[in-house]
Amino acid sequence: MDFSWADWIQKSIEAASDLGGVISLLIIAYGTFASFFLWRNRKREHKYTRVYFPTSNEDFYRYYTEVIGKAKKAVYLTSDGFNMKNPNSRRAAEKMNKAQEKAIERGAKVYRYQLLETMHLNWIDEICRMKEKHGDHYITVCNPYFESVGNFCVIDPDTRNTVFEFMLPAVGGFGQATQAGDFGFIHGHQRKSARAKDTFQEILDHPRTVEITADTAEGIRKELWDKRVRRQEEDQDYTPPDEEIIQMLRRAAGTSVPYTPEAFASVTAKP
């Protein structure tokens, strides 16, 4: 058979044309499938698998500790903590801490944003105890810039098993500065969990954010003590949330009340 450059060129053009068509079809098919999966994933992000609305404060803490204890990767929560002088509040604190410890044992990290305005000052010792016990797996930060962030928790974000918890506060008495007034748990809603995690990450990345540790705790507590005493002196209608400050003010009978670390010696948390 005689070789013909013309025939070879013609066949090469036809082959290239056929290959180009195949490639084009593959690109179109890939784009179609990619768009479908992207659409499906975005739609799935807004779906939830279940919701749970507790019927009482007791039911709230029961369910809250249950879902936290099942965490495998991370727990992000905001809270003003508990009053370790009040028996009911202390029991709730112990349940929450045990649930967080269970999550840590399962490999999760616990990140807490500490609300300061309504925090009982005797709660700081418990933060330090948990930090000393769990190290980098238990991180509590504070930053006055984010005091209005509200009360929420997100468990295992970026997974299909994520849980988003919200709590609407009801201002209470001395049992606990902030008590739960309404609450709910949304399972599997990845978009809500992602937004909550992004909010928390913004707090962690902020230059004024400070971790509460044994080295920083006393300074934070003294600053809050002085701030609350000054406010009470300027506004007689204001009542500090701390029994320790109230008792010192009563004894002072109108004189200034200096920061007294010894006032918290009797409320050191149990191990």
Side-chain angles (χ1 to χ4, degrees), residues 22-123:
V22 171
I23 293 174
S24 296
L25 288 174
L26 289 174
I27 293 174
I28 293 172
Y30 173 80
T32 301
F33 281 111
S35 298
F36 169 75
F37 284 115
L38 179 62
W39 169 82
R40 190 185 69 170
N41 288 338
R42 285 180 176 175
K43 187 175 181 180
R44 180 182 291 175
E45 286 180 348
H46 293 278
K47 285 186 175 182
Y48 59 88
T49 54
R50 65 171 301 207
V51 296
Y52 185 76
F53 301 113
T55 56
S56 65
N57 273 279
E58 292 74 17
D59 191 28
F60 167 67
Y61 282 114
R62 177 197 64 79
Y63 198 81
Y64 200 2
T65 54
E66 179 181 321
V67 292
I68 285 180
K70 293 179 180 179
K72 296 181 179 179
K73 295 182 179 296
V75 177
Y76 298 85
L77 65 96
T78 67
S79 170
D80 61 359
F82 298 87
N83 178 4
M84 302 305 287
K85 263 192 172 180
N86 177 277
N88 292 331
S89 186
R90 188 182 187 110
R91 280 193 291 269
E94 290 171 349
K95 290 178 181 178
M96 288 294 294
N97 287 343
K98 287 180 181 178
Q100 292 172 20
E101 289 178 343
K102 186 176 180 180
I104 291 172
E105 290 171 359
R106 294 167 63 90
K109 287 190 174 184
V110 175
Y111 299 90
R112 297 183 65 260
Y113 169 70
Q114 181 63 51
L115 295 161
L116 297 176
E117 290 299 316
T118 52
M119 177 189 72
H120 283 278
L121 296 183
N122 62 44
W123 171 244

